[in-house]
Amino acid sequence: MLILQRKAGESLLIGDQIKVTVVSVEAGGRVRLAIDAPRSMTILRSELRRAMDANQDAAREEASPMELLGLLTGGTDGAKR
């Protein structure tokens, strides 16, 4: 994992096609990012990707609704990996 420090207005490049710019850093540490990438590239928040994976797992095997809800709300109760 690469860890970088950037200030508001500064960017980083991923390959030749992706540019991530720090738009602002708000009180409480919340960071707003702008991502410039080809439209054909899927960009998801990690919690949505985990929920998608859990949904696919649930389609293959039985998972409780509370397990799936925990993934959406950020809980780790009973999360299968």
Side-chain angles (χ1 to χ4, degrees):
M1 176 184 296
L2 174 65
I3 299 173
L4 300 172
Q5 291 184 356
R6 302 277 73 201
K7 295 177 184 175
E10 294 181 335
S11 301
L12 62 97
L13 301 173
I14 301 172
D16 294 331
Q17 298 182 358
I18 303 170
K19 180 179 179 182
V20 180
T21 303
V22 177
V23 176
S24 66
V25 180
E26 300 172 1
R30 177 172 247 170
V31 178
R32 294 180 57 128
L33 301 173
I35 302 170
D36 184 15
R39 288 194 177 269
S40 61
M41 184 166 292
T42 301
I43 301 172
L44 292 174
R45 298 187 322 245
S46 60
E47 64 272 17
L48 293 179
R49 181 59 197 216
R50 283 193 305 270
M52 284 175 50
D53 291 344
N55 191 30
Q56 289 174 355
D57 289 345
R60 287 190 290 275
E61 62 183 62
E62 193 170 323
S64 75
M66 292 308 293
E67 233 177 340
L68 298 174
L69 183 60
L71 288 168
L72 287 172
T73 59
T76 57
D77 300 1
K80 294 181 181 178
R81 282 280 152 187

